[in-house]
Amino acid sequence: MKCLSERELQFLREYCTVMHPLTVALDILQGEENCYYGTLLPALETLMSKTLEKKNGLQILVGLPDAIVQSIKTRFTTVLASEDAILAAVTLPKFKLRWLRDQERKDQAKASLLAECRKRILEQEQQPGTSAPNPTPQHSAGSAKEAEFFSFSEDEESSAETEVADYLKSGATGLESLNQFPLIKKISLRYNAATPSSAPVERLFSLGSLILSPKRNRLSDQKFERLLLLRYNHWLER
């Protein structure tokens, strides 16, 4: 058999190097846990930037990174310009505004989040029997009248700006940190639906072919379903 030439080996090395960010992004987006709609946009933006970084040092596949990035922009045009996708990404604590590299886009995303928070406050005020909680500080008996006299209601503009600023300054990256920001949490629950993926279903089909083999072709539907569930959920404890 004829061996591969040095140029062909170089082609394979460069191809693996350029396609590596794409394989990582696919594994992330095919995850069965903690994969929300807000993960899609940061994954695409990071994929495009990391793919373009692979251009340095290429000799044969010089145009492949640009072709991949252009294909991503063509395929996900509506997602890249979607305000819902931006809000979903910004309201995930592990992303916030970190995935945006352009300051102008960061300002636009922050403005969209602030506008959505103001909208949520107006919706709360319009609902009968609900009011925004205003925690009152503890005062002594002598200053109670003075505190009541100088009691000022905080407008929706300042409360929304305060929560957005505190959220973006917070260094927490876990979802439990959203409990400290009720408005941000409502927005995150509104836009961060679970991302559907066919990967778990395909894994189930592959496992089914191992159970329903040529030597076990007389299984009933119920027996096959039970064996499949037992095989797929073998890590569950009784």
Side-chain angles (χ1 to χ4, degrees):
M1 296 179 63
K2 185 178 180 181
C3 297
L4 295 174
S5 63
E6 182 61 30
R7 182 175 177 80
E8 291 171 338
L9 291 175
Q10 181 68 18
F11 174 88
L12 293 176
R13 285 192 291 265
E14 292 185 4
Y15 182 81
C16 293
T17 300
V18 175
M19 299 300 291
H20 180 261
L22 181 60
T23 60
V24 176
L26 287 176
D27 290 339
I28 294 174
L29 295 177
Q30 289 179 358
E32 299 184 34
E33 298 179 357
N34 300 325
C35 188
Y36 305 99
Y37 181 50
T39 309
L40 179 58
L41 207 52
L44 293 177
E45 294 285 349
T46 306
L47 171 59
M48 289 188 292
S49 62
K50 288 186 176 296
T51 301
L52 292 177
E53 291 175 358
K54 301 297 182 180
K55 294 178 63 175
N56 299 328
L58 295 179
Q59 299 178 3
I60 302 175
L61 302 178
V62 180
L64 183 58
D66 293 328
I68 294 175
V69 171
Q70 184 60 39
S71 299
I72 294 174
K73 291 181 179 179
T74 302
R75 172 63 179 84
F76 296 98
T77 303
T78 56
V79 178
L80 294 173
S82 174
E83 186 174 350
D84 292 350
I86 295 176
L87 288 173
V90 173
T91 53
L92 282 181
K94 66 178 180 179
F95 295 126
K96 294 180 182 177
L97 299 176
R98 302 184 186 99
W99 56 280
L100 293 170
R101 303 178 183 273
D102 187 6
Q103 185 61 39
E104 183 179 356
R105 297 187 62 189
K106 286 185 178 182
D107 296 339
Q108 292 177 356
K110 183 178 179 180
S112 299
L113 180 60
L114 184 58
E116 190 70 19
C117 288
R118 294 168 184 165
K119 179 181 177 181
R120 296 295 170 181
I121 293 177
L122 289 176
E123 291 177 354
Q124 290 179 359
E125 293 178 352
Q126 291 176 357
Q127 293 178 358
T130 59
S131 59
N134 291 323
T136 56
Q138 299 293 330
H139 298 281
S140 60
S143 61
K145 294 182 178 180
E146 182 180 351
E148 183 179 0
F149 180 77
F150 288 111
S151 61
F152 305 104
S153 60
E154 188 176 7
D155 60 344
E156 60 185 45
E157 182 82 15
S158 58
S159 61
E161 288 183 354
T162 301
E163 181 161 335
V164 171
D166 293 341
Y167 169 72
L168 296 178
K169 290 179 181 179
S170 174
T173 58
L175 288 176
E176 63 277 1
S177 63
L178 290 176
N179 295 326
Q180 305 175 8
F181 311 100
L183 292 177
I184 307 294
K185 182 178 180 180
K186 289 183 179 180
I187 300 173
S188 183
L189 292 174
R190 168 66 178 82
Y191 292 101
N192 268 300
T195 304
S197 174
S198 62
V201 180
E202 293 173 1
R203 297 190 190 104
L204 193 63
F205 287 159
S206 300
L207 190 60
S209 63
L210 298 178
I211 295 176
L212 191 62
S213 60
K215 294 184 179 180
R216 305 175 69 181
N217 58 1
R218 301 293 295 273
L219 293 174
S220 63
D221 296 342
Q222 293 181 352
K223 178 72 72 173
F224 172 73
E225 182 179 0
R226 292 172 182 174
L227 289 175
L228 182 63
L229 292 176
L230 287 174
R231 185 73 177 272
Y232 194 77
N233 298 325
H234 66 279
W235 60 83
L236 295 179
E237 297 180 358
R238 292 186 178 181

